[in-house]
Amino acid sequence: MKHTSTLLLLALILCNCESKKSKQQQLEAAQIQLEMASEKELIKPKIEATGSYRKRQTQAGYQLSLMLTNTSEYTTYKDCTIEVQYYSKTNTIIHKTLIKISDTIKPNQTITVDKFTDETADIKDVNSLGWTCIDAVIVD
């Protein structure tokens, strides 16, 4: 009798622990879904663009070495649109151009991409360049 009641008590405790674990997993899954839904509503993707550039010697334009970092925990992006800004000595934007990067960037991943700008218009007095990711497609 003593063993039976002990086994019964142990079984009840295990069932209770399992239901708490299941509820915790359900709450975590709901939190992830909520965060993913809120990221889809963002106007600007969670992609940081850093890197360097140099003027091309034999052709017009610049060579960009970009590092794109997806700062989202759950959302995967693809087809990033990078806006490149050309600044004068007074930090005034004198020209803008768009570059499309078709790579896929998973959550918390950084990729490196080399791209060339191919301006046909004569852009003069460029002192520096800057860039920002302005758009990206969310991969479901």
Side-chain angles (χ1 to χ4, degrees):
M1 180 72 177
K2 206 176 204 183
H3 292 301
T4 307
S5 61
T6 305
L7 287 175
L8 184 60
L9 181 62
L10 190 61
L12 286 171
I13 291 171
L14 287 175
C15 288
N16 193 21
C17 290
E18 286 298 317
S19 68
K20 284 183 180 178
K21 186 186 281 187
S22 175
K23 287 180 184 177
Q24 181 66 27
Q25 289 173 341
Q26 289 174 351
L27 287 173
E28 288 174 1
Q31 180 67 27
I32 290 171
Q33 288 177 339
L34 179 65
E35 289 183 25
M36 289 175 71
S38 67
E39 286 177 0
K40 287 182 180 182
E41 299 298 320
L42 290 176
I43 295 172
K44 189 174 176 184
K46 288 187 161 188
I47 296 181
E48 293 179 2
T50 59
S52 61
Y53 65 92
R54 69 179 180 87
K55 184 145 179 62
R56 295 173 74 180
Q57 298 299 320
T58 58
Q59 297 173 332
Y62 292 84
Q63 178 181 351
L64 304 174
S65 294
L66 301 174
M67 290 190 316
L68 302 176
T69 302
N70 182 352
T71 60
S72 169
E73 290 188 41
Y74 307 108
T75 305
T76 300
Y77 292 101
K78 68 175 184 176
D79 299 335
C80 298
T81 303
I82 306 295
E83 180 184 74
V84 180
Q85 301 97 14
Y86 297 79
Y87 292 95
S88 69
K89 290 181 182 178
T90 61
N91 286 331
T92 303
I93 296 176
I94 55 177
H95 183 72
K96 292 181 184 179
T97 188
L98 297 178
I99 296 175
K100 190 73 138 186
I101 298 174
S102 58
D103 294 354
T104 299
I105 309 171
K106 295 180 180 179
N108 297 316
Q109 181 186 22
T110 299
I111 63 168
T112 303
V113 179
D114 289 329
K115 285 289 188 176
F116 297 101
T117 61
D118 55 348
E119 293 77 31
T120 55
D122 290 329
I123 306 169
K124 297 186 186 210
D125 301 324
V126 174
N127 186 51
S128 63
L129 300 181
W131 44 84
T132 307
C133 179
I134 60 170
D135 191 29
V137 176
I138 295 176
V139 178
D140 289 325

